[in-house]
Amino acid sequence: MAENKKILIIGGGMSGLTAAVETAEAGNDAVIVEKTPFLGGRVAQLNKYFPKLCPPNCGLEINFKRIKNNADVTFYTLAEVEKISGEEGNYNVAVKLQPRFINDNCTGCNACAEACPVEMPNEFNFGLDKTKTAYIAHNQAFPFKYAIDARYCKGKACAKCVDACKYNAIDLDMKAETVNLNVASVVIATGWDPYDAGNLDILGGGKIKNVITNMQMERLASPNGPTSGKILRPSDNKEVKNIAFVQCAGSRDENHLPYCSYICCMASLKQATYLREQYPDSKVRIFYIDIRTPGRYEQFYWKVKEDPNVTLTKGKVAKVAEDTATGDVELVVEDVLAGKKITEKYEMVVLATGMVPSTKNFKIPGDISYTNDGFVAMSSLKKGIYAVGTAKNPVDVAKSVQEATGVAIKSIQSARRSK
Amino acid sequence: MAEQIIKPDLNFINDVINSGGESLKKCFQCATCSVVCNVTPDDKPFPRKEMAHAQWGLKDKLFSNPDIWLCHQCSDCTAYCPRGAKPGEVLGAIRKLSLQHYSSPKLLAKMAGDIKYFLLLFAVPVLIFLTYLGITGKLDFANVPKDPVKGIVFSKLIPTTFFIDPVFMAAAAFAVIVFARGIMRYWNDMSRNAGTKGGSIIGAAISAITEILAHRRFNKCEATKGRSISHMLVFYSFAGLAITTTWALIYLYGPVIMKFLGMEPLQWLLGESPYPLTDPMKILGNVSAAGLALGILLVIFNRIKNSAKAGIGSYYDWLFIGVVFFVMATGILSEVFRLMNNEMLAYPTYIAHLSFVFFLFAYAPFSKMAHMVYRATAMVFAKQAGRE
């Protein structure tokens, strides 16, 4: 058999990027297949990492740079795996590439977006604002190349962007195509989606304007977010001085996600610091079943808890109502330690929604089984196929990176075994 | 906080689990239940604390508290419980154990809650009535005289005054005594547990009774909305049947008493049954029976419809529902078969009816029937203690 050193990585988020650069830097070709038009995944949407509170570009940008500088990494965006067949050392993979309608001539000048008359919900900001249909996700997106969303674009009937583009970068005739790859091993790094808050009827998710999710909170606090990093509530852009976090919004709940999503407690503690830093007179109250800050994260919990303006209360919020006059949000919860049912108003409420593996809704073709919750069932994987990060269970960024590095060596071993 | 010594009763934990609370241990104390409950007070709300107490086996804390009865098992808690711990079902199991705790003799209490003893308990009234029929030779229905005009007359099978009334009076007296002892103990336990309390007991009782009559708490249930209507139907039908029974007693004994007092009996005092279908008493009885039929069928229908979110209930629940159903069904059929003048159908159905009625009343303090007495007591206590 001919030497085959190529490794396919499904997903261009933190796990996939790490697996790709580690593999390539060890001398094996890595191919990333990413469903969206940009790499970076969920991490790109964060304001800060916990527990160090540094911005995510410190990790992402280094990885993007490593990719740019390494000819052994190739990546496809707007790409989905259609078929996987074969065995370790010799997997044949068909990848379908959806048209971006913008080619490599793009300089990122924004002229197409200015010309585009069609607005669409900004998915990168979880619908908190709108964007043009010719768009780039954010100012540090990689590849720094605009895309046109086929679901909203009116096509050649409009074509205003084509006229506006000075670089001949727009091609509305672009068609979907299929690429066939032969690889030694496959890494599933498909990541996660936030749990749909609209399912949380008693928590007002998706219904009450000033009830947002933790990922929306990341975007609100993020300098490249819809409010340029100022934490303003959606209904009236008022500065938020009094906020509540509802932990386990869907997680650890057999009516929603039966498992613990692992990151939400740390995320809420982290987000408490966003608000406390921005508005020194702000007050934060976190309602929890248990605060789960495993291992050394406990120290972060202690630190946040020391702040007298942060209150942690044991009790699961189970009723949320809107005060339509003020836009405030009323919560009902039992303060378990005091044994009292309390009703309190907040200017904004953050639901700490959990992680749903992307594979819950999009199955990877091929012989792969999943748990009831949609995670990749590890024991089912054939030789030469690996899963990493949140595709296999809820984990944080640090663990995803560690696992991805480990999986890089595993997939290289697959390639060597098949020489 | 003052130091507290708790004495977990491991057997009690198992009793709860075996009485329909098998989901007890799934509770992780998140307190979703206390929040979604619309009938709990805000201070020391239930059912979260009851779940903790039950998991720890703190029987006395649960029994000496009005809260387990303030719960109307709306099952909003069960519907939203993130763990499937079914607090509504667990509290139902605790209520059963509480009834068994306060009613005596203990052996009878135990038997009423265990499917193994159903036939034995049911055999008691059946044997009482069959023995009578055997001794009087009326097991052969040919020996039971019919009225030339009215056809079948049930009092000719078993005489009302000389057999049925004494048997039921004895059963009722037994139930009343057991109830009285039980609620006295319950009240004392609650008083001891709550410490001093204010409020007038009369005011509390009036308030509790109007609340019960209006089903005000039931109406706050969300997950099992229709229950208020079905319970109200059963409740008021029973009230109607109670009035009918009293009315019939007046018909039966009124003329006798008046004669005894040397008066001319009033025209409308009809004496022995059966009474014409047009008689107002008979109309009330038949309307109540129809209401009970509709009500208990709705109860069964709602239970099955809501079982996914509220749980299907325990033997204890279904025994009570079943007995009420058969009291209703055998009662209505007895009347129908009597009007058909078919003794082969009418007499056995009537014996079954008497047996089910006996079962319902004689064992009331040990069965779920007792809920009306204990819940009313708990509601009065809670109101008097200002626990709303």
Side-chain angles (χ1 to χ4, degrees):
Chain A
M1 192 188 292
E3 183 178 332
N4 184 350
K5 299 201 293 182
K6 228 180 234 176
I7 286 146
L8 174 76
I9 290 130
I10 309 174
M14 200 49 155
S15 300
L17 291 172
T18 306
V21 291
E22 297 292 356
T23 314
E25 285 172 12
N28 284 62
D29 287 353
V31 184
I32 301 172
V33 170
E34 165 60 40
K35 196 170 66 183
T36 74
F38 307 99
L39 301 180
R42 295 289 165 210
V43 167
Q45 293 172 298
L46 301 180
N47 175 42
K48 288 176 182 176
Y49 294 115
F50 58 73
K52 289 187 180 166
L53 302 180
C54 47
N57 52 345
C58 70
L60 272 184
E61 213 154 277
I62 291 166
N63 275 337
F64 291 156
K65 205 169 168 192
R66 284 160 88 185
I67 288 175
K68 280 184 218 163
N69 294 341
N70 195 325
D72 291 345
V73 183
T74 48
F75 63 87
Y76 297 99
T77 53
L78 287 161
E80 274 180 68
V81 172
E82 266 191 327
K83 209 182 112 199
I84 301 177
S85 58
E87 70 276 302
E88 182 181 49
N90 184 28
Y91 280 112
N92 289 309
V93 183
V95 179
K96 181 153 193 190
L97 307 179
Q98 298 296 341
R100 192 185 191 95
F101 304 111
I102 293 187
N103 61 32
D104 290 344
N105 293 346
C106 177
T107 63
C109 73
N110 201 44
C112 55
E114 279 164 28
C116 176
V118 185
E119 281 195 328
M120 62 177 189
N122 188 345
E123 278 178 16
F124 189 73
N125 289 340
F126 299 101
L128 286 169
D129 61 353
K130 298 207 153 160
T131 179
K132 291 295 183 56
T133 294
Y135 73 105
I136 193 151
H138 57 101
N139 56 12
Q140 280 154 329
F142 180 79
F144 199 74
K145 199 163 83 170
Y146 277 60
I148 292 174
D149 193 314
R151 289 169 301 172
Y152 295 91
C153 177
K154 292 182 176 152
K156 292 179 91 172
C158 168
K160 290 203 168 70
C161 53
V162 179
D163 300 334
C165 182
K166 285 185 278 185
Y167 304 97
N168 259 336
I170 299 178
D171 174 6
L172 294 176
D173 286 328
M174 225 179 248
K175 294 275 177 293
E177 55 185 301
T178 301
V179 179
N180 292 304
L181 302 167
N182 184 263
V183 298
S185 64
V186 177
V187 176
I188 301 168
T190 40
W192 62 283
D193 294 312
Y195 184 65
D196 182 359
N199 295 338
L200 302 164
D201 56 341
I202 53 172
L203 300 182
K207 279 182 217 80
I208 300 174
K209 279 201 190 101
N210 293 325
V211 174
I212 65 167
T213 67
N214 47 5
M215 281 304 281
Q216 286 178 318
M217 182 65 175
E218 289 296 326
R219 297 312 301 145
L220 278 185
S222 187
N224 61 17
T227 52
S228 305
K230 210 147 166 50
I231 302 171
L232 307 172
R233 69 181 192 181
S235 74
D236 51 9
N237 283 330
K238 190 176 145 186
E239 291 183 354
V240 180
K241 298 292 180 64
N242 183 17
I243 197 170
F245 289 87
V246 176
Q247 296 310 112
C248 294
S251 299
R252 302 176 75 196
D253 186 337
E254 59 179 39
N255 304 312
H256 301 283
L257 306 176
Y259 49 86
C260 169
S261 289
Y262 187 82
I263 51 113
C264 325
C265 283
M266 280 300 281
S268 292
L269 291 166
K270 172 186 74 171
Q271 292 176 353
T273 70
Y274 296 172
L275 200 82
R276 295 290 303 119
E277 257 172 39
Q278 214 169 93
Y279 307 121
D281 55 340
S282 59
K283 291 210 181 306
V284 175
R285 193 158 181 183
I286 301 177
F287 294 101
Y288 63 88
I289 302 175
D290 310 285
I291 288 289
R292 290 187 161 181
T293 48
R296 289 186 4 189
Y297 288 153
E298 186 93 4
Q299 289 162 9
F300 187 75
Y301 162 59
W302 294 337
K303 201 182 91 191
V304 176
K305 211 175 141 188
E306 264 174 24
D307 182 340
N309 281 359
V310 176
T311 314
L312 293 131
T313 304
K314 183 171 171 69
K316 169 92 189 279
V317 174
K319 259 186 200 166
V320 177
E322 186 175 26
D323 179 343
T324 42
T326 59
D328 290 349
V329 183
E330 190 179 86
L331 301 185
V332 188
V333 61
E334 186 194 350
D335 178 342
V336 169
L337 301 181
K340 275 195 176 24
K341 202 157 148 177
I342 49 177
T343 303
E344 276 192 350
K345 275 187 186 159
Y346 296 89
E347 290 173 341
M348 190 165 84
V349 167
V350 177
L351 303 181
T353 48
M355 284 185 176
V356 180
S358 303
T359 43
K360 172 95 185 171
N361 299 314
F362 297 96
K363 305 289 183 227
I364 295 159
D367 233 358
I368 294 155
S369 337
Y370 301 88
T371 66
N372 291 339
D373 305 317
F375 292 102
V376 173
M378 299 300 283
S379 57
S380 79
L381 292 177
K382 281 168 65 179
K383 263 183 120 180
I385 298 184
Y386 306 97
V388 64
T390 52
K392 71 186 226 301
N393 58 347
V395 280
D396 56 4
V397 178
K399 270 225 172 97
S400 296
V401 170
Q402 288 161 10
E403 285 179 10
T405 309
V407 154
I409 190 90
K410 290 274 184 198
S411 41
I412 292 167
Q413 286 167 352
S414 284
R416 297 285 147 87
R417 264 201 293 274
S418 57
K419 259 184 193 176
Chain B
M1 198 193 272
E3 202 168 287
Q4 265 190 33
I5 295 172
I6 59 165
K7 289 179 217 127
D9 179 340
L10 300 183
N11 291 329
F12 177 73
I13 300 171
N14 289 329
D15 287 344
V16 173
I17 289 170
N18 294 329
S19 299
E22 49 282 299
S23 51
L24 170 67
K25 298 236 170 151
K26 291 183 177 175
C27 172
F28 63 12
Q29 291 286 301
C30 71
T32 298
C33 48
S34 300
V35 179
V36 297
C37 177
N38 292 328
V39 299
T40 176
D42 286 348
D43 186 44
K44 302 199 193 78
F46 58 81
R48 194 225 11 110
K49 74 174 188 306
E50 281 67 25
M51 295 298 281
H53 291 161
Q55 283 182 332
W56 296 342
L58 305 182
K59 171 168 90 178
D60 297 338
K61 263 194 189 312
L62 291 162
F63 289 170
S64 60
N65 196 311
D67 285 16
I68 57 168
W69 289 107
L70 297 185
C71 164
H72 280 49
Q73 205 165 348
C74 302
S75 301
D76 289 326
C77 51
T78 297
Y80 284 105
C81 176
R83 301 280 289 176
K86 300 186 181 154
E89 300 256 86
V90 171
L91 262 67
I94 296 169
R95 283 192 288 272
K96 171 192 160 185
L97 296 171
S98 165
L99 291 177
Q100 294 184 339
H101 174 76
Y102 286 114
S103 56
S104 50
K106 287 271 161 299
L107 180 67
L108 210 45
K110 192 137 210 85
M111 287 162 75
D114 192 335
I115 194 165
K116 280 196 302 246
Y117 299 107
F118 170 76
L119 283 177
L120 189 59
L121 290 176
F122 191 66
V124 173
V126 173
L127 285 177
I128 289 174
F129 297 117
L130 289 186
T131 307
Y132 173 84
L133 294 179
I135 290 170
T136 54
K138 289 181 189 168
L139 275 176
D140 179 0
F141 297 148
N143 295 336
V144 184
K146 279 190 185 180
D147 185 285
V149 185
K150 294 173 176 169
I152 288 175
V153 173
F154 282 134
S155 59
K156 293 197 191 307
L157 179 71
I158 303 180
T160 316
T161 311
F162 299 108
F163 197 80
I164 294 182
D165 285 353
V167 166
F168 279 96
M169 288 300 216
F174 170 70
V176 166
I177 291 165
V178 177
F179 267 132
R181 284 164 46 114
I183 58 168
M184 267 161 60
R185 279 178 60 208
Y186 183 37
W187 189 276
N188 288 338
D189 283 355
M190 285 194 291
S191 302
R192 199 178 317 115
N193 187 39
T196 51
K197 59 189 186 302
S200 117
I201 193 162
I202 307 281
I206 292 169
S207 166
I209 289 166
T210 53
E211 193 172 292
I212 292 167
L213 292 178
H215 278 51
R216 228 169 282 143
R217 274 174 193 266
F218 252 126
N219 286 327
K220 293 179 183 168
C221 294
E222 287 176 35
T224 52
K225 266 202 167 70
R227 277 173 76 234
S228 170
I229 293 167
S230 53
H231 189 271
M232 212 181 265
L233 267 171
V234 172
F235 179 88
Y236 280 104
S237 301
F238 260 109
L241 291 168
I243 294 168
T244 309
T245 309
T246 316
W247 200 334
L249 283 174
I250 294 170
Y251 274 3
L252 180 59
Y253 296 111
V256 182
I257 294 169
M258 289 189 82
K259 264 186 208 154
F260 180 76
L261 295 174
M263 298 192 294
E264 183 64 26
L266 293 164
Q267 269 297 303
W268 57 271
L269 292 172
L270 296 179
E272 283 264 358
S273 67
Y275 309 115
L277 288 172
T278 49
D279 187 74
M281 182 224 87
K282 197 74 198 170
I283 293 171
L284 176 65
N286 282 334
V287 167
S288 302
L292 184 59
L294 184 61
I296 198 69
L297 287 172
L298 270 177
V299 167
I300 294 168
F301 172 77
N302 283 338
R303 283 246 171 201
I304 292 167
K305 188 186 73 180
N306 294 327
S307 61
K309 49 188 174 179
I312 191 70
S314 61
Y315 164 69
Y316 204 61
D317 299 325
W318 283 103
L319 177 66
F320 180 48
I321 294 168
V323 169
V324 171
F325 175 85
F326 282 108
V327 164
M328 177 278 297
T330 54
I332 291 175
L333 287 176
S334 295
E335 187 179 343
V336 170
F337 295 147
R338 175 176 65 77
L339 293 171
M340 287 163 60
N341 206 15
N342 183 333
E343 62 268 34
M344 293 315 288
L345 291 174
Y347 294 144
T349 311
Y350 183 61
I351 296 297
H353 180 61
L354 291 176
S355 303
F356 277 112
V357 174
F358 182 97
F359 194 100
L360 188 65
F361 288 100
Y363 305 138
F366 313 101
S367 79
K368 206 182 166 182
M369 181 82 169
H371 77 280
M372 58 180 199
V373 173
Y374 284 87
R375 178 163 286 137
T377 305
M379 282 168 76
V380 172
F381 184 90
K383 281 180 187 290
Q384 195 193 6
R387 181 154 178 74
E388 284 284 357

